[in-house]
Amino acid sequence: MSIKRLSGVHAPHHKNTAECAPQRIPTPDKVIIPMNMHIGAPSTPVVKAGDLVKVGQVIGEAAGFVSVPVHASVSGKVVKIDELLMANGAKAKAVVIEADGLQEVAETVVPPTVETTEQFLAAVRASGLVGLGGAGFPTVVKLSVKNPNSIDYLLINGAECEPYITSDLRTMIDDCEHIIKGAALIKKFVGQKKTIIGIEDNKPEAIKLFQEKTANDPDFEVMAMPSLYPQGGEKVLIHNATGRDVPEGKLPLDVGCIVINVTTLAFISKYIETGMPLIEKCLTVDGSAVAKPGNVIAPIGTPIAKIFEFCGGYKAEPRKILYGGPMMGISVPSDEVPLLKNNNAVLAFAEKEATLAPTTACIKCGRCVAACPVGLMPATIEHAFKIKNVDMLNELKVMLCMECGCCSFVCPAKRELVLTNKLAKAMVREASQKK
């Protein structure tokens, strides 16, 4: 695979909330905390209906290496262990807690002892941390490096290229020190040779701040990146920051890189200081249906209706609600779904923005090919999917699709190419499992 020097797409930024410092919402009456808020094995509930819990208490234990514990985000009473239909169509167990409003903190919430790499990794796992930029990959797995000498770069992802979302920008401005401390912790216990933070050049305040704060560290580089979507894609960032390509079927570690989101890094630093696990999230609330867009901090498991309510409710009937941004976000069935660990935004759009343009025939213009950061041929993939030709899909390297949505964004025929890519990938996986 070869990633070209990014041409990308100029998606409208819509960074309406960039100046909005995060506000903490009131403790909700109830939280719904799913056990599968990460890639990998879902956590196992360790509480039952009737149990009293405190903030930071473990309510779900990690069920494997690629898994992390889940913690109570409010104090109160467990009222049931429910089965929840997630936005991706999968079902998951969820612990429903009725809050008592006291927000009593669990006695187990104390700063961890961290003097060795093993203790550092154990702390990251115990914190329940997953990638907070959207993917939800358990961070401890990403940091479990067999050969520390092979790590050349820690790439801090501050691109935040998705339209509307500004929660990472607020973290960079409001919590710059913890991001830098987090990078220092990883250097101490994992051992990268150089640290680069990549920030899109439409965030000059954040770039200037990091340049000032790291001016005396020769191993820390602040890199202004072009404001071209998907600058924050993991493989794209690696290519543009280091010139290295991640080969097909390989991971960033295989080319000497660890990529970590800014908010994830800030959390690691704060957890080592306080011992408070991942129980709340800063996220952007925006969209044409939202009365007062802003950035908020809310307990994980909060029904997003409560979050919209805090932002003044709806000024128009919401026709589409998204977890995440408009390019890679997932549409949810209603505003009763809970806030998840990896949510960095919830957007609600009114009729005009939620109505899709009619699809017409492909005119073979090639714009989807030109826009794809990994050089795929989305229109040809669409054809292979329609005729159910798995061998052809494999030859077209559909599994390399990062689902960034650039192909759909530029398509003049308004074809749902990224959706087809997702379905084609599922078809390839299913065929592979049958072999």
Side-chain angles (χ1 to χ4, degrees):
M1 180 197 71
S2 176
I3 293 179
K4 62 188 175 184
R5 178 59 64 175
L6 183 67
S7 55
V9 298
H10 289 278
H13 295 156
H14 296 303
K15 303 288 189 182
N16 310 313
T17 56
E19 303 299 322
C20 299
Q23 299 182 62
R24 195 175 297 276
I25 76 165
T27 304
D29 297 334
K30 178 186 74 174
V31 293
I32 306 161
I33 305 180
M35 294 290 107
N36 69 342
M37 295 184 284
H38 53 263
I39 292 172
S43 305
T44 304
V46 292
V47 292
K48 61 183 184 305
D51 286 355
L52 299 178
V53 296
K54 296 181 179 179
V55 176
Q57 179 178 331
V58 173
I59 59 172
E61 288 184 343
F65 178 64
V66 187
S67 183
V68 289
V70 179
H71 305 81
S73 59
V74 298
S75 62
K77 184 178 180 180
V78 176
V79 291
K80 60 181 174 179
I81 311 295
D82 210 355
E83 189 170 69
L84 186 68
L85 181 63
M86 305 293 286
N88 62 2
K91 290 184 176 179
K93 289 182 178 178
V95 176
V96 181
I97 305 172
E98 197 172 82
D100 59 15
L102 302 176
Q103 289 301 82
E104 287 187 87
V105 175
E107 293 77 9
T108 52
V109 176
V110 294
T113 298
V114 176
E115 296 173 349
T116 66
T117 298
E118 289 73 21
Q119 289 174 333
F120 176 69
L121 294 176
V124 173
R125 179 182 293 280
S127 74
L129 181 61
V130 302
L132 302 182
F137 191 74
T139 305
V140 65
V141 179
K142 184 176 287 188
L143 298 179
S144 297
V145 179
K146 291 182 180 177
N147 178 13
N149 292 328
S150 67
I151 303 304
D152 296 320
Y153 296 100
L154 173 68
L155 299 177
I156 308 174
N157 192 345
E160 200 167 57
C161 53
E162 267 273 4
Y164 290 94
I165 305 176
T166 63
S167 53
D168 276 354
L169 171 61
R170 292 313 315 179
T171 300
M172 286 189 280
I173 293 173
D174 304 331
D175 218 359
C176 171
E177 298 285 355
H178 276 115
I179 295 171
I180 295 170
K181 287 180 181 177
L185 282 168
I186 292 181
K187 184 170 186 176
K188 180 176 181 180
F189 293 112
V190 180
Q192 77 273 14
K193 299 177 181 68
K194 185 176 177 68
T195 300
I196 299 175
I197 182 168
I199 307 173
E200 280 196 337
D201 58 12
N202 61 355
K203 304 172 183 65
E205 185 179 356
I207 293 170
K208 182 172 182 289
L209 185 59
F210 276 94
Q211 286 173 335
E212 292 173 352
K213 296 290 185 181
T214 63
N216 296 323
D217 184 349
D219 296 327
F220 197 118
E221 181 179 354
V222 183
M223 188 173 288
M225 318 289 285
S227 300
L228 292 171
Y229 179 86
Q231 193 65 259
E234 189 172 69
K235 293 177 181 176
V236 176
L237 186 65
I238 291 172
H239 177 88
N240 286 348
T242 70
R244 298 180 180 184
D245 285 350
V246 180
E248 183 178 354
K250 299 293 184 180
L251 298 171
L253 284 176
D254 295 313
V255 294
C257 297
I258 294 174
V259 182
I260 195 162
N261 163 268
V262 285
T263 304
T264 307
L265 203 51
F267 172 81
I268 291 174
S269 173
K270 286 189 282 191
Y271 177 74
I272 300 302
E273 289 178 4
T274 68
M276 179 58 76
L278 184 58
I279 52 98
E280 65 181 15
K281 192 72 201 296
C282 175
L283 71 160
T284 299
V285 186
D286 203 348
S288 58
V290 179
K292 297 178 181 176
N295 287 299
V296 304
I297 298 171
I300 288 165
T302 302
I304 61 174
K306 291 290 182 185
I307 297 172
F308 285 122
E309 184 179 306
F310 179 76
C311 292
Y314 302 119
K315 63 181 181 182
E317 185 175 355
R319 292 293 189 179
K320 179 176 280 189
I321 298 175
L322 296 176
Y323 276 149
M327 299 296 284
M328 291 191 72
I330 298 175
S331 181
V332 300
S334 80
D335 59 9
E336 291 303 314
V337 298
L339 173 66
L340 308 178
K341 286 183 178 182
N342 60 336
N343 287 157
N344 50 14
V346 288
L347 308 180
F349 292 103
E351 181 78 30
K352 180 181 177 182
E353 292 77 14
T355 303
L356 298 176
T359 297
T360 58
C362 175
I363 59 173
K364 306 193 186 305
C365 62
R367 292 185 193 177
C368 57
V369 180
C372 179
V374 291
L376 300 181
M377 302 169 67
T380 310
I381 289 172
E382 183 187 42
H383 170 70
F385 173 72
K386 283 185 175 178
I387 61 175
K388 302 186 187 308
N389 190 329
V390 174
D391 290 339
M392 188 176 177
L393 288 171
N394 279 318
E395 290 172 5
L396 291 167
K397 304 291 184 186
V398 67
M399 300 308 289
L400 291 177
C401 173
M402 64 176 75
E403 302 176 14
C404 64
C406 287
C407 51
S408 295
F409 180 80
V410 300
C411 179
K414 307 301 179 187
R415 305 190 69 78
E416 296 181 357
L417 297 171
V418 67
L419 175 60
T420 303
N421 283 359
K422 291 179 184 180
L423 295 173
K425 290 169 71 176
M427 182 185 289
V428 171
R429 289 192 198 98
E430 184 178 355
S432 175
Q433 289 169 358
K434 288 180 180 176
K435 287 183 179 177

